[in-house]
Amino acid sequence: MAFSNAPTELINCHKRTIEVDEEQKQNQFLQWARLILPWLTPGELANVSLTCRTLSQISKSITLSRSLDASRSVENFPIPFHNAADKTPYAYFIYTPSQIIPPPCPAQFPPRQFWASTNAAADAESNSSLSRLGFDSVSLVCESDESESGCDCEECFEVGLGDGVFGCPCFSGLEDVGIVSECGPSCGCGSECGNRLTQRGISVRLKIVRSVNKGWGLYADQFIKQGQFICELLTTKEARRRQQIYDGLASSPRNSSALLVIREHLPSGKACLRMNIDATRIGNIARFINHSCDGGNLSTTLVRSSGSILPRLCFFASKDIKEGEELAFSYGEIRARPRGLPCYCGSTSCFGILPSENT
């Protein structure tokens, strides 16, 4: 009897083996999908979602997580996208929380970044790849090729304390020429130092909202007091060549650049340092701050950290900002192209076109 049932048992065993193999293959497929899909652009993600129900569900999950936080969980608060104007769930770009200098060869420029989870630990690991993909930081070095050290203070003070004790040397007194000095990476003080106000990330709640005319814009998601630090606009090179490309694409509503030219007049008064800030493809949430012809509600300040060659352009609230109010500043006064892009700032002093410059 037992012998006569053997073929049936073998068949059932074979079916169970096939089911186990299929389950293992399915799990492997899901692991592969969750590893690969977060690196895809929105267009690629949309194409993949059409192939099967499983990939469609994973793609929708990735799209939702991206819309919930533009910063990939590297900032102190999530910065969500809100869009009631059309069906675009989020703006795709490479996020970096710190100032970067791209490599000289454009081919080495990283075109992708992992963006899926709102889990801080997972994103911290994935976003650390940004520093491994060819970006370099810049600091001052002495003649022996060693990094120029900052202060040795345990606590930093701006003024002399008497009894032969002087304030932190990182306070260089450049405020008169519009530059604020802060402690740098080589200083002895820690991250809680009072002279590192702009180095602790974004400390106010913000959101990115899309409108019909202006596209994406940055808005306050809480009350912000006058003088509070908002964020910084991150610096890169090569803007002249890029601006020629952006000018050619300006007529298309799907293409908008985020390129800004900053000139720092050095203390001697005999020289000017020009910085080309381009956050079109790589940057942080400051890339969404729109122009206002009346100056807006933000002020810009150049902040130089001890030991750094390039200063950072930081935004502070120039007045009290209400929750739900758009953040804006003036891009400049020069309008080199009379037929430039239209301005939709809505202020009473609107010029009708955005500022522009011959780069």
Side-chain angles (χ1 to χ4, degrees):
M1 192 67 158
F3 181 79
S4 63
N5 289 334
T8 303
E9 292 296 329
L10 287 173
I11 292 173
N12 291 336
C13 180
H14 180 64
K15 287 181 178 179
R16 288 194 294 269
T17 301
I18 292 176
E19 290 175 356
V20 171
D21 289 342
E22 289 299 324
E23 184 177 355
Q24 290 178 345
K25 290 179 180 179
Q26 180 70 9
N27 290 335
Q28 291 175 351
F29 176 74
L30 291 175
Q31 291 177 357
W32 168 85
R34 293 192 178 104
L35 177 65
I36 300 298
L37 266 61
W39 293 91
L40 301 184
T41 65
E44 294 168 340
L45 202 60
N47 289 333
V48 168
S49 69
L50 299 175
T51 58
C52 68
R53 181 179 299 178
T54 300
L55 292 182
S56 176
Q57 292 174 345
I58 296 176
S59 299
K60 289 179 180 178
S61 175
I62 292 174
T63 298
L64 176 61
S65 66
R66 289 180 176 183
S67 68
L68 294 176
D69 188 10
S71 75
R72 286 74 161 166
S73 299
V74 301
E75 300 292 355
N76 297 313
F77 301 108
I79 305 170
F81 291 92
H82 296 271
N83 184 4
D86 54 41
K87 295 183 179 180
T88 307
Y90 60 90
Y92 185 80
F93 65 105
I94 306 296
Y95 194 94
T96 174
S98 58
Q99 188 182 68
I100 57 173
I101 301 296
C105 178
Q108 299 174 5
F109 212 72
R112 300 180 186 274
Q113 183 181 45
F114 186 97
W115 188 11
S117 172
T118 55
N119 181 276
D123 279 348
E125 172 63 23
S126 63
N127 282 301
S128 65
S129 62
L130 189 64
S131 61
R132 299 193 296 267
L133 289 173
F135 287 119
D136 300 309
S137 61
V138 177
S139 60
L140 293 173
V141 295
C142 59
E143 293 181 357
S144 61
D145 288 336
E146 296 181 355
S147 296
E148 193 73 20
S149 60
C151 67
D152 295 324
C153 310
E154 293 184 2
E155 295 184 34
C156 299
F157 299 93
E158 184 173 1
V159 296
L161 304 178
D163 297 327
V165 180
F166 297 94
C168 173
C170 293
F171 290 96
S172 60
L174 295 176
E175 288 79 2
D176 293 339
V177 292
I179 304 174
V180 173
S181 297
E182 289 188 343
C183 294
S186 299
C187 294
C189 54
S191 60
E192 297 303 316
C193 168
N195 195 29
R196 294 179 183 270
L197 175 64
T198 67
Q199 301 174 36
R200 302 190 189 104
I202 298 169
S203 59
V204 294
R205 292 189 178 275
L206 305 169
K207 60 184 178 181
I208 303 165
V209 180
R210 188 172 179 85
S211 62
V212 175
N213 291 330
K214 291 191 288 185
W216 297 108
L218 190 64
Y219 286 70
D221 208 16
Q222 67 169 70
F223 173 77
I224 301 175
K225 293 182 179 180
Q226 180 179 0
Q228 272 192 276
F229 169 67
I230 306 296
C231 60
E232 67 172 288
L233 187 59
L234 302 173
T235 304
T236 64
K237 288 181 176 178
E238 248 199 345
R240 283 185 175 87
R241 182 186 64 82
R242 295 183 192 173
Q243 186 59 58
Q244 294 176 355
I245 299 175
Y246 300 154
D247 287 344
L249 297 174
S251 58
S252 172
R254 292 181 175 271
N255 294 282
S256 59
S257 66
L259 190 146
L260 191 66
V261 177
I262 301 296
R263 290 181 175 85
E264 176 191 0
H265 294 277
L266 302 181
S268 65
K270 299 180 180 180
C272 176
L273 175 64
R274 172 185 168 128
M275 295 178 293
N276 299 312
I277 299 177
D278 183 10
T280 303
R281 294 188 178 92
I282 297 180
N284 64 352
I285 51 93
R287 70 195 298 276
F288 297 105
I289 301 177
N290 285 318
H291 164 79
S292 181
C293 293
D294 65 0
N297 49 20
L298 300 180
S299 60
T300 57
T301 301
L302 287 175
V303 178
R304 186 182 293 278
S305 299
S306 179
S308 297
I309 294 177
L310 297 176
R312 296 176 293 116
L313 181 67
C314 295
F315 292 99
F316 294 84
S318 60
K319 60 183 75 173
D320 289 346
I321 302 174
K322 299 177 182 179
E323 181 178 352
E325 184 177 346
E326 184 178 8
L327 306 183
F329 77 110
S330 174
Y331 288 3
E333 303 298 329
I334 300 175
R335 287 168 173 81
R337 294 188 292 274
R339 297 183 180 179
L341 296 175
C343 177
Y344 298 106
C345 71
S347 68
T348 56
S349 56
C350 181
F351 285 89
I353 59 173
L354 291 173
S356 59
E357 181 174 316
N358 294 320
T359 57

